[in-house]
Amino acid sequence: MSDTLTLGDLAFSSRLLLGTGKFSDVETMIAAVKASGAEIVTVALRRFNANEAEDDLFGPLSQLDGVTLMPNTSGARNAQEAVRAAMLARELSGSKLVKVEIHPNPHHLMPDPIETYEAAKTLAADGFVVMPYMPADPVLAKRLEDVGCASVMPLGSAIGSGHGLSTRELVGLIIRDSGIPVIIDAGLRAPSEATAAMEMGCDAVLVNSAIANAGDPAAMGRAFADAVATGYAARQAGLMARLDHAEATSPLTAFLSDAE
Amino acid sequence: MSIRPDWLDPEPHVARVEAARRRDVHAALAAEQPGIAEFAALLSSTAAGELEAMAQRARQLTRGHFGNTIQLYAPLYLSNYCTGGCSYCGFSSDRKQPRHKLTEEQCQAEMSALRQMHIEEILLLTGERAPEADFEFLCNFVRAAAVHFPKVTVEAFGMTEEEYRTLNEAGCTGITLYQETYDPTLYEACHRWGEKRDFATRIAAPDRAFRAGLRTVGIGALLGLGDPIAESISLYQHAAHLMKTHWQGGISVSFPRLRPEAGGFQPPHPVDEKRLAQLIFAFRICLPDVPLVLSTRESAAFRDGMAGIGINKMSVASRTTVGGYENGRAEDNGQFEIDDGRDVETFCTMLREQQLEPVFKNWDAVFR
């Protein structure tokens, strides 16, 4: 890993991305974004409100220096709708980053692998920097890389659940084989889980509920920033090998003699 | 053979409610995958003694899934012409009630008033299908509303699948359609004449709406009409059926509670606020990712208390008379009495004081 998070032709120094949808008010959300040092924030197109209403998230976020907007297509239930939403969001925001988010079931909000793949293919070909929210599926991850995505964003656990990195084993396979950044999106609850994700080789994490639902969102934003930096630093420093076995007193290979 | 499908029959589960002990309630509160058994336990009188614990769990789940936000919408009554004979309703065709319907111009004025109140999601209402306010009448207003509002939904009469498809194409995102009561005998007694009298056609309407491509269906039982425990169990089973059958369908559950109204209808099974709160918590705990909706039928104090604790979506500043936003017709009775009459700003100030963000726009016309 280099010290820069590279997404398409864009480079970032922060490895913490923020979601913006669940805060108690815009001021709290902005304070958390600032405190977290996040350089990429995602905002749902359906929360863009051109009528200068107090619930508009796009306006206030677009005023922030050093923050790149990553509109998301949440609400889309298929590729066609997601592509339409992405086009409109790019037009409104001027940002070519897009988080493809297609969850046809509006209750559990699990990403649709088939529609996500189709939308990603179309949007990548159209010049978007495509960031797909996806199930933690190592095969799908390579498929998405092949069609030109800038990263893959496998879920740690269900959106808003706070169940942490329950897909750890699958994420491990994704990291091992991925040629593009792997970003954990959804499910993290505690900063320590973000540290663990970074230690195991993730390139970044995206957090929303854990910060929005914290007692002090700005302080939690800072805590996540530190946790991500710590996990990244530990990874860079090189973790010692994990020894799962003791040295055997009667080695199984004793029968192999050195002398010919 | 009963006209009620077997999966809707509450009877097998009612005994579970009566039998629930404290340990069942505690197990339900801690369950990882709560189902009908847990739901039944949470409806019990034993659970009523654990209301605070239920509220705490409900709050945690609501905030986890929906964040610190309350989604807002407003109803717009297009017409109070009605051919239905619902014994409990102020718009029933035998009520001596001045009848009105909006002209296109009046509708524009109503919508403009709602836009000025920052409303982004609008629920269009009519009575039962009537010559003065038929399907075409409704569709025209859906098209008109879709120009101004990113989300337009409809609460009117039950329709055919083909009609729901046309409604969808006109710009409607979803419908609200209450079964009113899940007890077929009571249903027939309350719905004295008209299209709505057919229980089986009504119960299958949400299925038709989803098959026609509509995204959301709001369901509910009119609380006060039937036994609240049996009704709640059937309502839960209805929700579960829809979620299993239509995996892309978004359901929401509302809690309309009968209050004494103009015609003098007295609910046979009145539900008090504590009971209502318990029902809402039980739904939230067992359906943590389903929107739960509370209207202005309820008092300001109750709504303030339930916001973010189970409830995540509310109507605001509602007028239940035809033409009520532009120039309230003082001589008219609404469909039901509004208890919480606060304006948008006052209501939002309350939400902000509770660290809840009022969300007006949570949808986009691009998804039509």
Side-chain angles (χ1 to χ4, degrees), chain A residues 73-228:
Chain A
T73 62
S74 159
R77 58 179 174 182
N78 57 42
Q80 202 187 6
E81 290 174 2
V83 167
R84 275 204 321 260
M87 302 270 181
L88 178 59
R90 179 171 64 179
E91 200 180 304
L92 293 172
S93 70
S95 174
K96 61 180 177 180
L97 262 179
V98 64
K99 179 181 167 192
V100 175
E101 192 169 341
I102 305 179
H103 33 69
N105 181 305
H107 300 300
H108 60 50
L109 307 177
M110 287 293 156
D112 184 324
I114 297 165
E115 300 294 333
T116 299
Y117 172 80
E118 290 300 331
K121 189 162 76 170
T122 305
L123 292 170
D126 196 50
F128 280 89
V129 175
V130 181
M131 314 273 283
Y133 171 54
M134 57 174 286
D137 177 343
V139 176
L140 179 63
K142 290 309 285 185
R143 291 278 192 178
L144 289 166
E145 183 179 338
D146 285 349
V147 297
C149 287
S151 75
V152 285
M153 301 208 289
L155 57 89
S157 51
I159 292 180
S161 69
H163 289 180
L165 195 53
S166 68
T167 54
R168 185 184 175 91
E169 194 179 339
L170 295 163
V171 168
L173 292 176
I174 294 175
I175 292 168
R176 190 190 70 185
D177 295 344
S178 186
I180 51 177
V182 178
I183 301 171
I184 291 296
D185 182 1
L188 299 190
R189 177 180 157 270
S192 57
E193 294 161 356
T195 304
M198 296 303 289
E199 283 170 353
M200 76 181 282
C202 289
D203 296 280
V205 300
L206 192 155
V207 180
N208 185 0
S209 300
I211 293 175
N213 286 342
D216 182 342
M220 190 58 83
R222 254 189 309 275
F224 264 97
D226 292 345
V228 167

Side-chain angles (χ1 to χ4, degrees), chain A residues 22-24 45-49 51 54-55 73-77 81 84 104-108 160 212-213, chain B residues 63-65 68 115 120 213 215 247-251 289 352 355-358 360-363 366-368:
Chain A
K22 290 183 163 178
F23 289 86
S24 57
L45 171 68
R46 59 193 164 85
R47 294 294 307 273
F48 282 43
N49 192 337
N51 301 318
E54 70 168 85
D55 66 344
T73 62
S74 159
R77 58 179 174 182
E81 290 174 2
R84 275 204 321 260
N105 181 305
H107 300 300
H108 60 50
N213 286 342
Chain B
R63 303 295 171 115
H65 193 78
N68 301 295
R115 290 297 292 170
E120 300 276 345
R215 286 172 188 263
W247 70 278
Q248 299 201 15
I251 59 158
D289 53 14
R352 283 183 220 110
Q355 276 82 51
L356 285 164
E357 184 184 28
F360 293 90
K361 183 174 179 292
N362 195 27
W363 196 242
V366 78
F367 296 126
R368 279 192 193 123

Side-chain angles (χ1 to χ4, degrees), chain B residues 104-293:
Chain B
E104 221 162 286
E105 199 179 318
Q106 287 166 332
C107 185
Q108 290 295 344
E110 290 285 287
M111 292 194 295
S112 152
L114 285 166
R115 290 297 292 170
Q116 276 165 26
M117 291 156 59
H118 305 293
I119 297 299
E120 300 276 345
E121 178 176 339
I122 188 174
L123 172 67
L124 303 180
L125 294 99
T126 72
E128 280 295 288
R129 198 189 295 261
E132 298 85 353
D134 58 7
F135 180 70
E136 257 323 295
F137 168 87
L138 175 60
C139 268
N140 285 336
F141 284 120
V142 168
R143 283 185 204 100
V147 175
H148 303 287
F149 298 89
K151 191 164 185 186
V152 180
T153 59
V154 160
E155 183 172 351
F157 36 88
M159 297 172 200
T160 65
E161 189 174 327
E162 200 43 50
E163 286 175 327
Y164 281 131
R165 196 163 287 121
T166 308
L167 206 61
N168 187 13
E169 284 158 9
C172 175
T173 300
I175 59 159
T176 297
L177 196 83
Y178 304 141
Q179 186 65 24
E180 321 291 12
T181 170
Y182 288 94
D183 174 346
T185 311
L186 180 63
Y187 185 90
E188 209 172 276
C190 293
H191 303 105
R192 299 165 296 172
W193 52 79
E195 249 179 65
K196 190 174 171 180
R197 193 170 161 79
D198 189 319
F199 181 95
T201 305
R202 179 92 174 175
I203 196 74
D207 297 277
R208 294 195 296 278
F210 280 137
R211 280 200 301 272
L214 287 167
R215 286 172 188 263
T216 62
V217 174
I219 59 174
L222 204 43
L223 297 169
L225 219 45
D227 168 51
I229 287 180
E231 295 289 352
S232 298
I233 288 173
S234 287
L235 179 57
Y236 175 89
Q237 289 169 312
H238 194 190
H241 158 82
L242 291 171
M243 290 171 83
K244 272 190 210 301
T245 314
H246 310 279
W247 70 278
Q248 299 201 15
I251 59 158
S252 62
V253 177
S254 298
F255 300 89
R257 186 163 66 117
L258 274 176
R259 317 290 289 274
E261 50 78 47
F265 184 84
Q266 295 309 314
H269 292 274
V271 171
D272 64 18
E273 286 193 349
K274 268 197 171 161
R275 191 74 174 139
L276 177 57
Q278 187 185 355
L279 298 182
I280 293 170
F281 298 152
F283 272 96
R284 171 53 68 229
I285 292 164
C286 296
L287 297 174
D289 53 14
V290 168
L292 301 184
V293 186

